[in-house]
């Protein structure tokens, strides 16, 4: 049945009103959703930016190395509490300590970093970075753990200017050596153990080779010259008799330069280089460097009487009389 004209007009008006209400409602909903999405995008962008900042701070900002020893918790007075200071990696924690050790304002404010990086062992502590200051950086406090127990902490030392310098005492003088715990932490830990012994029976230099005609007095290789023999180094051992020696892991192996102190293989044999050796392709863990003013002592040892010998088809010169050496603490370290 058809409708009357007045009813049709009324129906049309009602439909128009309803349509306008729908449009208005849709507009309000759209505006609301747009605002919510814009706010969400803004928050998402902020979170992503924060993530990038944290990730960037984990990089090596100060150059050099940032290595530590796993399953080791060093103690000491806290200068930054890890419960409120976290990173994604141990490198970030290490660099945070380095940033407090610029050497511009006296001694380092931080010389120890402790990072909890084992998710299973750390639990809610994962990512915590504790920055600490030792009473004695050459004898750091450590948490003793039962043998075989696994903890989540990784620890490392940072030596600033004038810190972390030990002496190798010989009858020809004391070789002052700056240690590199951030590049060779296991090696430096072993050297600190030797210091605690107060003796090193059997430690000595037994091989000595001058720079010959291949390197100048600054250790630079002379153009068109060979690379030895002689090989511009003094070699010895740092194994104390009566003390078990465990092979050291390979750590940072940079290019050998004049003054580098490095292990041969996994130790305890080591050498001090009297020249730059770019021909040795990153083969040796460098754990320290002789201070420039003491290289004349190493040079004098290299001029002592020697006997020619052949080791594994390599011509070498061995000291007629080995030179005993003793690792010792240095009370006042030169600023380097």
């Amino acid at each position: 049945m058809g409708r009357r004209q007045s009813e049709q007009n009324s129906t049309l008006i009602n439909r128009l009103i309803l349509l306008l209400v729908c449009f208005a409602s849709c507009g309000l909903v759209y505006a609301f959703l747009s605002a919510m999405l814009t706010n969400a995008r803004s928050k998402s962008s902020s979170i992503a930016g924060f993530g990038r900042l944290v990730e960037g701070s984990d990089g090596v900002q100060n150059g050099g190395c940032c290595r530590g020893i796993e399953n080791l918790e060093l103690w000491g007075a806290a200068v930054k509490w890890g419960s409120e200071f976290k990173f994604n990696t141990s490198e970030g924690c290490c660099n945070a300590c380095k940033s407090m050790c610029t050497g511009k304002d006296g001694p380092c404010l931080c010389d120890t970093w402790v990072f909890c990086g084992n998710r299973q062992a750390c639990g809610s502590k994962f990512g915590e970075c504790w920055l600490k200051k030792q009473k004695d950086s050459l004898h750091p406090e450590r948490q003793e753990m039962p043998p075989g127990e696994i903890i989540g902490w990784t620890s490392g030392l940072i030596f600033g200017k004038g810190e972390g310098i030990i002496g190798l005492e010989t009858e020809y003088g004391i070789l002052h050596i700056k240690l590199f715990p951030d590049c060779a932490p296991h090696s430096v830990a072993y050297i600190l153990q030797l210091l605690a012994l107060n003796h090193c029976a059997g430690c000595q230099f037994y091989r000595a080779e001058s720079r010959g005609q291949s390197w100048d007095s600054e250790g630079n290789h002379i153009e068109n010259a060979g690379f030895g023999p002689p090989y511009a180094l003094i070699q010895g051992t740092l194994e104390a008799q009566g003390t078990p020696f465990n092979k050291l892991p390979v750590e940072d192996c940079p290019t050998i330069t004049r003054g580098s102190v490095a292990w041969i293989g996994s130790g305890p044999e080591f050498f001090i280089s009297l020249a730059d050796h770019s021909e040795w392709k990153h083969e040796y863990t460098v754990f320290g460097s002789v201070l420039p003013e003491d290289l004349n002592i190493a040079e004098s040892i290299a001029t002592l009487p020697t006997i020619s010998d052949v080791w594994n088809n390599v011509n070498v010169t061995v000291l007629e009389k080995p030179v005993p050496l003793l690792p010792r603490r240095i009370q006042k370290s030169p600023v380097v």
Side-chain angles (χ1 to χ4, degrees):
M1 179 181 296
R3 295 177 181 272
R4 288 184 297 182
Q5 185 67 38
S6 60
E7 291 178 348
Q8 291 177 352
N9 291 339
S10 176
T11 300
L12 287 173
I13 292 171
N14 290 336
R15 288 179 177 178
L16 286 173
I17 292 173
L18 182 61
L19 185 61
L20 289 173
V21 170
C22 289
F23 279 136
S25 299
C26 289
L28 290 173
V29 171
Y30 177 80
F32 176 77
L33 290 176
S34 296
M36 291 294 292
L37 290 172
T38 300
N39 188 41
R41 282 194 297 268
S42 176
K43 289 183 178 179
S44 176
S45 177
S46 298
I47 293 171
F50 177 75
R52 285 193 294 271
L53 287 173
V54 172
E55 183 178 355
S57 66
D58 286 342
V60 181
Q61 297 174 337
N62 301 318
C65 312
C66 252
R67 297 170 179 251
I69 298 178
E70 294 183 353
N71 211 44
L72 171 66
E73 183 180 1
L74 292 178
W75 283 14
V79 296
K80 184 76 79 170
W81 290 73
S83 55
E84 302 172 355
F85 194 61
K86 295 189 176 184
F87 286 92
N88 294 329
T89 66
S90 60
E91 287 81 3
C93 185
C94 169
N95 278 317
C97 185
K98 279 189 173 183
S99 69
M100 301 175 68
C101 190
T102 61
K104 297 178 181 178
D105 302 312
C108 291
L109 299 177
C110 169
D111 57 21
T112 304
W113 57 270
V114 183
F115 175 75
C116 207
N118 185 314
R119 287 185 181 273
Q120 183 175 358
C122 293
S124 62
K125 294 182 180 293
F126 177 76
E128 287 191 5
C129 172
W130 290 78
L131 304 185
K132 304 180 180 182
K133 178 70 175 176
Q134 297 291 330
K135 292 181 180 178
D136 182 355
S137 60
L138 293 181
H139 187 66
E141 299 180 64
R142 58 184 296 165
Q143 169 69 16
E144 297 298 336
M145 302 298 296
E149 183 170 339
I150 297 177
I151 61 175
W153 300 99
T154 296
S155 299
L157 294 172
I158 302 294
F159 291 151
K161 289 187 176 181
E163 299 176 326
I165 297 176
I166 61 127
L168 293 184
E169 184 176 5
T170 75
E171 58 189 289
Y172 300 97
I174 299 175
L175 291 159
H176 292 80
I177 296 175
K178 172 78 171 185
L179 298 176
F180 300 154
D182 49 345
C183 291
H186 292 274
S187 301
V188 171
Y190 174 70
I191 299 299
L192 299 187
Q193 290 176 15
L194 288 181
L195 290 181
L197 292 177
N198 295 318
H199 77 85
C200 199
C203 295
Q204 60 182 1
F205 289 112
Y206 53 75
R207 177 187 177 189
E209 307 207 12
S210 68
R211 289 177 279 102
Q213 303 300 315
S214 298
W215 293 272
D216 64 22
S217 60
E218 299 298 321
N220 301 305
H221 184 251
I222 298 173
E223 188 175 1
N224 298 324
F227 291 96
Y231 294 101
L233 58 83
I234 56 175
Q235 179 178 330
T237 180
L238 283 171
E239 182 177 15
Q241 293 178 0
T243 302
F245 176 81
N246 297 318
K247 289 185 177 181
L248 296 165
V250 175
E251 300 184 283
D252 188 49
C253 299
T255 300
I256 299 296
T257 59
R258 178 171 164 82
S260 292
V261 186
W263 298 117
I264 298 173
S266 299
E269 278 68 40
F270 78 107
F271 67 89
I272 295 175
S273 178
L274 304 179
D276 297 341
H277 285 286
S278 59
E279 75 278 14
W280 295 345
K281 304 297 183 181
H282 306 284
E283 298 177 1
Y284 305 100
T285 295
V286 175
F287 61 90
S289 181
V290 176
L291 301 193
E293 57 267 31
D294 288 344
L295 281 169
N296 63 312
I297 299 173
E299 294 275 7
S300 65
I301 294 175
T303 62
L304 295 175
T306 58
I307 301 172
S308 297
D309 201 351
V310 178
W311 296 352
N312 297 323
N313 297 320
V314 176
N315 294 321
V316 300
T317 52
V318 180
L319 288 167
E320 289 184 356
K321 180 183 178 182
V323 177
L325 60 89
L326 174 66
R328 54 171 291 185
R329 297 174 63 97
I330 301 300
Q331 296 300 323
K332 292 185 178 181
S333 301
V335 177
V336 294

